[in-house]
Amino acid sequence: MVSEDDVRSACLALPGTSERLSWSRPAWFARTLFARMWDDTVLTVKTEERDALLASQPGAFFVHPHHEQYESLVLVRLGRIDLEELTELVDESYRIANSTASRR
């Protein structure tokens, strides 16, 4: 099980990352937003594997109706993943966010 502090450490380890509030919740930005705490135990990240994550681990990953229109967003229950999976998710979200920002 990982915590918000683990999320913070994983995010801030990435180059150019800063932390600030987004919708009154901790969020991490590089060129743009790449991770945000949805609540105390749920993280929002970007992924290219949303459908696969939802199908393979429905207890860990889910989508709120607000996120359905954004194909890359997924919610992660921190209590259902380990540190290695968290790091992979944060790294992917960072990469996606930065590649999207550079195309603008």
Side-chain angles (χ1 to χ4, degrees):
M1 180 171 125
V2 296
S3 68
E4 182 179 319
D5 286 336
D6 294 319
V7 172
R8 179 172 287 108
S9 293
C11 290
L12 292 176
L14 297 167
T17 297
S18 64
E19 179 178 341
R20 62 183 187 261
L21 295 179
S22 173
W23 295 90
S24 301
R25 301 295 307 163
W28 295 271
F29 296 78
R31 290 183 181 171
T32 187
L33 175 72
F34 70 91
R36 185 176 81 82
M37 294 301 298
W38 180 256
D39 65 29
D40 291 343
T41 62
V42 176
L43 176 68
T44 307
V45 291
K46 298 177 181 185
T47 181
E48 295 171 339
E49 304 294 328
R50 181 168 89 173
D51 291 340
L53 292 171
L54 294 171
S56 67
Q57 297 180 59
F61 299 97
F62 67 105
V63 178
H64 183 275
H66 167 78
H67 297 104
E68 288 178 1
Q69 63 185 324
Y70 305 103
E71 294 177 6
S72 68
L73 295 180
V74 68
L75 294 161
V76 185
R77 290 182 179 93
L78 297 179
R80 303 285 183 102
I81 63 169
D82 62 23
L83 190 55
E84 181 179 344
E85 191 163 21
L86 171 68
T87 302
E88 290 173 5
L89 291 164
V90 167
D91 287 352
E92 179 185 20
S93 189
Y94 174 87
R95 180 185 51 75
I96 291 168
N98 283 320
S99 68
T100 301
S102 67
R103 283 190 243 138
R104 291 181 186 165

